[in-house]
Amino acid sequence: MKDALELYKSELLKWTAKVNLIGPEAKEHLDEHLAEALAAAEILQPRGQVLDFGSGGGLPAIPMAIVSPAARFHLVEADQKKWAFLKHIVRECGLSSQVYGDRLSRLLPRLPADLRFSLVVSRAVGNPEEWVPSLKEHLEDGAHIALFQGTPDAPAIAGFEREQAVALPRGTSNYLVLLTFHVEHRPT
């Protein structure tokens, strides 16, 4: 596990020098970003099918996948250079993950109808009120939406229960905000 994390860190820095996978702040504080991803994995305990979109350079999904062998990560990234890196690092680290080079809105209709995610991870991607509802058909009952964001405020979204936000170790404005999905049972 430690070897895979070191390999990821090394490859991320090597590729970033050529492709700009992560910004200067993340590059300068990469160890803190890795620790944050590992802390999130400890909190979330990923299992089953996990969706991460806007995967970028793989933070937090790749470190989470490395320490979560009971999970199969589905990484969605539209940028071709970032997508190529994700495919490379998944292969090099031997992860049980699938990489999609697309936008979430175009991918969802093409996913198998019976695919259900137990966890969805997103780090600062758009407005959750706009994209979270689109996931309902692909979530299992009790699935968590984990939003890595700068405030502890959880958006109010129909069909999702807000949970308490958890402060993450990297700085004073980094939170893991959780929403829980519950299937609406309709009387027959």
Side-chain angles (χ1 to χ4, degrees):
M1 212 176 305
K2 186 174 180 176
D3 289 344
L5 286 168
E6 285 301 320
L7 175 61
Y8 169 63
K9 180 179 173 182
S10 168
E11 290 294 298
L12 180 61
L13 291 171
K14 184 168 74 176
W15 278 59
T16 293
K18 301 175 206 165
V19 180
N20 192 29
L21 296 173
I22 57 174
E25 186 279 333
K27 185 177 175 183
E28 184 178 336
H29 300 284
L30 186 54
D31 288 335
E32 290 91 343
H33 281 272
L34 292 169
E36 180 177 271
L38 298 175
E42 182 69 27
I43 293 163
L44 297 168
Q45 297 290 307
R47 56 159 182 81
Q49 307 295 325
V50 177
L51 174 67
D52 176 77
F53 78 97
S55 299
L59 288 168
I62 295 295
M64 290 177 70
I66 289 170
V67 299
S68 305
R72 177 167 172 76
F73 278 72
H74 298 259
L75 310 173
V76 182
E77 174 55 53
D79 182 283
Q80 186 176 4
K81 293 174 184 175
K82 293 176 182 178
W83 174 81
F85 170 75
L86 292 169
K87 287 194 73 93
H88 166 75
I89 202 65
V90 162
R91 185 175 50 254
E92 292 297 312
C93 290
L95 300 176
S96 174
S97 301
Q98 184 165 354
V99 179
Y100 304 90
D102 210 340
R103 296 199 174 280
L104 183 67
S105 60
R106 290 193 303 249
L107 176 66
L108 286 175
R110 296 193 329 262
L111 291 175
D114 61 344
L115 179 60
R116 298 288 178 270
F117 298 107
S118 61
L119 175 63
V120 176
V121 177
S122 176
R123 182 174 175 159
V125 176
N127 184 351
E129 291 91 334
E130 293 173 5
W131 58 261
V132 168
S134 70
L135 299 171
K136 287 182 179 181
E137 290 181 28
H138 289 286
L139 297 176
E140 64 182 41
D141 192 30
H144 291 287
I145 308 294
L147 306 171
F148 288 74
Q149 57 184 45
T151 70
D153 304 323
I157 301 172
F160 293 84
E161 180 182 327
R162 291 185 277 187
E163 296 187 23
Q164 187 171 357
V166 178
L168 290 168
R170 189 179 56 85
T172 57
S173 62
N174 291 292
Y175 295 91
L176 184 60
V177 176
L178 296 176
L179 304 172
T180 302
F181 174 70
H182 294 289
V183 174
E184 296 176 16
H185 297 284
R186 293 182 178 91
T188 55

